[in-house]
Amino acid sequence: MADTSTILLVIANGEEWAGVRKLLVNEYGYRVLVAHSIKKAMDTTEEAIVDLVICESVLDGEDAIGVLQQCRVSCPNAMRILVKEPNGNDGNYHQAAELGAIYQFIRKPIDEEQIGLVVKRALEASELARRHRLISRELKLNENSPLFSSEPAGKVVAKCSNFEKLVYISEPMAELCSIAKQAAGTDLPILIQGETGTGKELMARAIHFNSDRTDSPLLVQNCGGMSDELLHSELFGHKRGAFTGAISDRLGLFRAADGGTVFLDEISEVSASFQVSLLRFVQEGEIKPLGSDHVSHCNVRILCASNRRLEKMVEAGEFRRDLYFRLKGFELVVPPLRERRDDISVLAEFFVRKYSESMNVKLLGISNNVLDQLQHYDFPGNVRELENEIRRLVALAKDGEYLTTRHLSKEIASATPKQSKDDIQRNLAIDGNSLKEKVESLEKILVSEALKRLRWNQSEVARELGLSRVGLANKIKRYDLQNLH
Ligand SMILES: Nc1ncnc2c1ncn2[C@@H]1O[C@H](COP(=O)(O)OP(=O)(O)OP(=O)(O)O)[C@@H](O)[C@H]1O
Ligand SMILES: [Mg+2]
């Protein structure tokens, strides 16, 4: 359970629930998110970490129990409470209860104190269940069980932190998320930069859910690969007849998100003329739909993301400097995974849990060998690549097993520990005074490293180092490496 538990109210009428909301926030200190539609409820459980959901059985005349079923996948540890109608019209209640989608139900009319107490007890039960899972896991890890197979068992990975759905433990991410949380509370635009797959979109969603705009929409537009006309029409809207195919008026994303947040992904890709329209919007909140003379205004917070460094593009004259400075009210740079290796294990564990739950495979965890091998790999595709790897490993694993190195992809399986610059310098400093002696000592290091890594397969080592078999044998003899074998 997070320090402050988050409760999601999926309710038709905000007024009817105003008292409950006030009680949960003021008396119990919970964070309360509200969704008035099934879609908004689904989006919220996808994007925010929710500890408990209270859902009315019927919303806008529609059966809303599906929201609780969806929660089992998107927030598996959230407690789920159903509020039944007084007249007994409860949709698919029995089916959902049987599937385990419901922890408890309450019947209307609303009794604020009863709900407060039920929520408190449910969260306590959830915390107990969490501790129980942790303890059983540790016990299992300590057992001398044959299930551990030939590879040593996985460590219990340290408790990680969350910024909504972002999982991390490393120092750089902790610092970044702490700035992001502060930035979320201001209304300034935020520019999120970082390589592909580092979690920029997840960061943008977490920021929206931690801002004052959380009850209003978050709309996303990818700006890559779109013509100016289309992008303009998507964001600013158009009048009927503005261009061929514009058969009716279109509101545009900015006005649809009025009061909320718009996330512009791949902002580096917009044209120079579009940058001008965007600048006008960011400065004045002005919107001029295509084909219209009428200028209107709306209040939207902008978040942007880019994998290309915008400051470099500004230097190269490819992106407007004034727009760049407007967009980076805050600038967050998400580091690549290889620069925060501490996150690899907690993310791997997180993805194992996520995919073993959704694929219904009962795994014991990840073996140390897999965790070690993941540490050696550079992950050019960052967290997305790690996630895909773990998803594949889980799909290939069987109940009661650890994830082992058997199915690791070739690139990851062949990754080798990096020798840091310091190591090389140290080695160079230790052996030899003259250049010749230092070069020889480096050659010795490289040959012995390759021999160890390729398990003394001398043909492979010779091929990798560009030597003949005889040449390699000479070096082994010369540097007296036989005793390493
Ligand atoms: N810290 C994290 N915790 C959990 N999941 C993460 C984290 N970072 C990234 N992911 C997952 O990795 C995948 C890629 O993340 P996301 O789409 O946010 O990256 P991105 O930086 O926007 O990538 P791109 O530049 O390619 O658009 C998603 O499935 C996301 O859920
Ligand atoms: Mg993205």
Side-chain angles (χ1 to χ4, degrees), residues 165-167 196-202 307 347 383-384 387:
K165 298 260 159 156
L166 276 171
V167 175
T196 182
T198 44
K200 298 184 292 298
E201 179 156 355
L202 226 49
N307 341 336
L347 282 167
V383 184
R384 183 180 291 114
E387 179 169 6

Side-chain angles (χ1 to χ4, degrees), residues 341-469:
R341 290 187 183 274
D342 290 350
D343 285 339
I344 294 177
S345 300
V346 293
L347 282 167
E349 287 263 325
F350 168 75
F351 292 131
V352 168
R353 251 179 288 129
K354 174 173 167 185
Y355 289 109
S356 52
E357 255 149 41
S358 69
M359 296 180 199
N360 208 10
V361 189
K362 294 184 181 55
L363 294 174
L364 291 179
I366 313 181
S367 77
N368 281 346
N369 292 4
V370 171
L371 290 176
D372 287 347
Q373 207 49 41
L374 293 174
Q375 284 296 332
H376 300 154
Y377 184 61
D378 270 348
F379 289 102
N382 292 295
V383 184
R384 183 180 291 114
E385 188 178 4
L386 173 63
E387 179 169 6
N388 290 341
E389 179 75 8
I390 300 286
R391 184 172 41 204
R392 202 175 44 77
L393 293 182
V394 171
L396 294 171
K398 297 198 182 67
D399 281 351
E401 282 185 356
Y402 274 89
L403 287 192
T404 63
T405 47
R406 192 160 29 122
H407 298 297
L408 272 181
S409 62
K410 222 169 69 209
E411 302 81 51
I412 297 180
S414 58
T416 51
K418 305 269 164 308
Q419 209 181 17
S420 72
K421 268 193 203 140
D422 282 354
D423 290 343
I424 293 176
Q425 296 255 313
R426 211 175 298 124
N427 285 330
L428 288 177
I430 291 168
D431 291 333
N433 292 319
S434 68
L435 180 63
K436 183 165 179 285
E437 283 168 353
K438 282 182 192 274
V439 169
E440 283 182 349
S441 102
L442 181 59
E443 188 174 68
K444 180 177 171 187
I445 292 168
L446 293 174
V447 175
S448 48
E449 186 274 327
L451 284 165
K452 253 190 270 169
R453 179 162 44 82
L454 298 171
R455 298 197 178 83
W456 279 78
N457 181 332
Q458 294 191 28
S459 328
E460 269 190 49
V461 174
R463 190 165 340 114
E464 185 177 298
L465 298 178
L467 297 169
S468 65
R469 285 285 312 253

Side-chain angles (χ1 to χ4, degrees), residues 82-250:
L82 181 77
V83 182
K84 292 178 164 198
E85 293 298 307
N87 59 13
N89 171 14
D90 295 323
N92 285 326
Y93 166 69
H94 287 293
Q95 198 193 345
E98 253 169 45
L99 287 173
I102 296 169
Y103 167 73
Q104 169 85 277
F105 74 83
I106 295 169
R107 191 173 288 280
K108 281 191 185 177
I110 295 168
D111 175 338
E112 288 161 19
E113 286 187 359
Q114 182 204 7
I115 293 185
L117 195 62
V118 168
V119 166
K120 184 163 184 270
R121 295 283 174 257
L123 289 171
E124 283 167 2
S126 157
E127 176 62 6
L128 281 177
R130 189 184 71 84
R131 289 183 190 196
H132 182 264
R133 278 196 304 275
L134 272 182
I135 292 170
S136 343
R137 174 111 196 277
E138 285 211 43
L139 287 175
K140 254 190 223 135
L141 292 177
N142 290 332
E143 258 172 32
N144 195 11
S145 157
L147 287 170
F148 290 135
S149 74
S150 55
E151 295 192 38
K155 346 177 195 290
V156 175
V157 173
K159 191 175 178 323
C160 57
S161 304
N162 291 92
F163 180 34
E164 298 304 341
K165 298 260 159 156
L166 276 171
V167 175
Y168 60 91
I169 197 170
S170 68
E171 218 23 69
M173 280 303 279
E175 222 167 89
L176 186 71
C177 290
S178 131
I179 297 171
K181 279 177 205 169
Q182 277 181 296
T186 73
D187 215 25
L188 291 172
I190 301 183
L191 172 63
I192 307 167
Q193 307 208 61
E195 289 181 12
T196 182
T198 44
K200 298 184 292 298
E201 179 156 355
L202 226 49
M203 174 67 86
R205 291 178 185 277
I207 288 171
H208 171 74
F209 273 92
N210 282 268
S211 75
D212 294 339
R213 295 173 180 259
T214 171
D215 287 342
S216 302
L218 163 70
L219 299 181
V220 178
Q221 177 64 51
N222 191 320
C223 304
M226 284 184 98
S227 72
D228 255 19
E229 195 175 63
L230 188 56
L231 192 56
H232 202 109
S233 139
E234 287 293 323
L235 291 177
F236 296 100
H238 63 239
K239 291 294 283 178
R240 184 172 155 208
F243 52 86
T244 328
I247 49 171
S248 58
D249 288 359
R250 185 185 178 103

